[in-house]
Amino acid sequence: MNKFTIKSVHARRVWDSRGEPTIETEVTLRYGAHGRAITPAGASKGSGEVLDLRDGGKAFGGRDVMKAVSAIKTEIAPALNGLDAREQTDIDKILIELDGTKERSRIGGNAITATSMAVLNAAASAEKLPLWRYLAEVHGNNETLSLPLPEIQIFGGGVHAAKRVDVQDFMVIAIAATSYAEALEWSAEIYRHAGILMENTGRLHGVADEGGFWPAFNSNEEAIETLIQAIECAGFTPGQEIALSLDIAASEFGKNGHYTLACDDRVLDSDSLSGLLVDWIERYPIISIEDPLAEDDIEGFTKFTWAVGKRVQVVGDDFLVTNAKHVAKAAKLNACNALLVKPNQAGTITETKAALDMAEKHGYTSIISARSGETADPTIVHLAVGWGVKQIKVGSFSRSERMVKWNEEIRIAEAIGQLKHTRPEGALPAQNTFPWIP
Ligand code: PGA
Ligand code: ZN
């Protein structure tokens, strides 16, 4: 028995940024250290994610999590009591076996994710280290610590905005900023000017799920045009200082090779959607595109990556669901070149790291990401720094569940004395020959 020995595992129902129930697990160790974590929730989910177990029934639209909360107390707690919180791999294995189903439908992927992350937080706390430093020490990359480059949403669309436009995220990346703090300053100005533009044109209708402005546009491209204008109004040169990043989230409007762009009143096949996106890449300073095709369209992904993979980051989110096997398969087919990393898609810390390692092995870039249903839990920011993930995406520049993460990175930046350096070497694909990059 030592300071890392698990003494108790407690769970409670808490509430996320959409006002929906979610799970918080609290792990207490023998001499008082403890760690907490809350599972976030996606709205545009990949079908291969571990299951987010909900109670069904009338209350909260069937979204309650009391079954999963009770499984943590009655099944997980006794299984973990007495174990060493540093043994993350063993603990995650026990959690997976305890559930016993492929999709984590018995105890719930959400219950297991919160617990896995809470164990990690508890171990760091017993070591009296912030999580980012604990991870860096465990993984031996203390020397190479760097801050992830942020991609920040300005307009939120897709299912985060009742499908007001089809494309889900219209984001900016401050490619020429010389510090993390400066990247935030530039993005803050762009966000502010986007708001002014929307107000001046009578289109300001609040914000979408991740805090980006509600996309009151008549076409998807109008959102891109307005984003370019916002960048210019803020005094920046698109493509020189600020690049664009889009999350198409195509699984939400496409299946079996048919894509319905409701906002543009068009139905496209896979090649035509690819063609449309390539046209945007040629006309706008886009350096990253996530889920350009639907998760079932591997051939479409492969063709798209063949066409633009040397110029832009082609990111698999719903397509790869933070799953090492999916990453290996995609790499074999050259189906994309970057991984979006979401711990609650993978289900445990160990599986999340495995997907990240697989991405690195195949020369993929990686972006750690929040979900559309979030809380004040900052764990992912620590994972990004501690694991050396070079990009981060936590939504827009408003709403506290987003700002708490950007602000946590400011504190870490100060602690590691890297306020000066924001664009870590290799954040974007090395082969990137896109003319927009300075
Ligand atoms: P989600 O969206 O959390 O609703 O899945 C985030 C994303 O697609 O990146
Ligand atoms: Zn996505």
Side-chain angles (χ1 to χ4, degrees), residues 32-50:
H34 71 112
R36 280 200 299 252
I38 306 179
T39 315
S44 67
K45 293 195 279 191
S47 60
E49 299 186 15
V50 296

Side-chain angles (χ1 to χ4, degrees), residues 376-397:
D377 189 313
T379 304
I380 59 163
V381 179
H382 290 256
L383 296 180
V385 178
W387 283 345
V389 181
K390 290 173 178 158
Q391 295 173 69
I392 187 164
K393 169 190 177 190
V394 305
S396 193
F397 212 69

